Amino acid sequence: MSVLIVDAANVVGSVPDGWWRDRRGAAERLRDRLARRDPLGRGAAGEAGEIEEVILVVEGAARGVESVPGVRVDPAPGSGDDRIVELAAAHAERGCVVVTADRELRERVRAYGARCLGPRAVRPVDRPVD
């Protein structure tokens, strides 16, 4: 059993679908998508093992996003990356998977034994909005 920690800013920013017009709304849509289905979708769940808890780390304008059943939203008091590292360290014994494309963040969480996946693991590539 492991914890899935999702870098909301990085995942939302991975697809140019107009997220910058409403950062909070984009984070809420990601949260809801994670809550509705297997957070790692088809195929990737086997790579990560069984996910026991999903934590969506938000920062900046998305800090007001609330948790829903199946997804705990963790508002970073400062840097979202720093909060993700703290969570990876806290869950090192249980094991965790961090979803981000940020290379530096990946290196930081791997120091605590975290496995890393890219944004496509939790977000299908959507058609950009004009």
Side-chain angles (χ1 to χ4, degrees):
M1 301 295 259
S2 60
V3 177
L4 179 71
I5 303 169
V6 180
D7 181 350
N10 190 270
V11 172
V12 165
S14 69
V15 176
D17 62 359
W19 61 264
W20 51 88
R21 290 184 217 114
D22 180 11
R23 293 171 192 254
R24 181 177 175 161
E28 288 171 340
R29 287 188 295 278
L30 174 59
R31 175 206 59 199
D32 294 347
R33 188 177 307 120
L34 291 168
R36 279 194 307 268
R37 65 183 179 94
D38 170 3
L40 294 177
R42 298 175 301 267
E47 293 176 23
E50 192 168 337
I51 299 299
E52 178 180 307
E53 180 180 13
V54 177
I55 303 171
L56 180 66
V57 177
V58 296
E59 61 186 329
R63 275 197 193 99
V65 174
E66 296 189 19
S67 297
V68 296
V71 180
R72 177 167 64 103
V73 177
D74 191 309
S79 161
D81 289 1
D82 290 346
R83 182 63 184 144
I84 290 167
V85 173
E86 290 172 6
L87 290 167
H91 295 289
E93 286 189 29
R94 282 172 68 187
C96 69
V97 177
V98 174
V99 178
T100 186
D102 183 317
R103 288 182 192 172
E104 181 181 330
L105 178 56
R106 284 176 172 235
E107 290 305 313
R108 292 175 66 193
V109 298
R110 283 183 178 133
Y112 296 99
R115 296 180 59 215
C116 299
L117 296 173
R120 287 185 184 180
V122 296
R123 180 176 182 150
V125 178
D126 300 324
R127 193 172 72 81
V129 174
D130 296 323

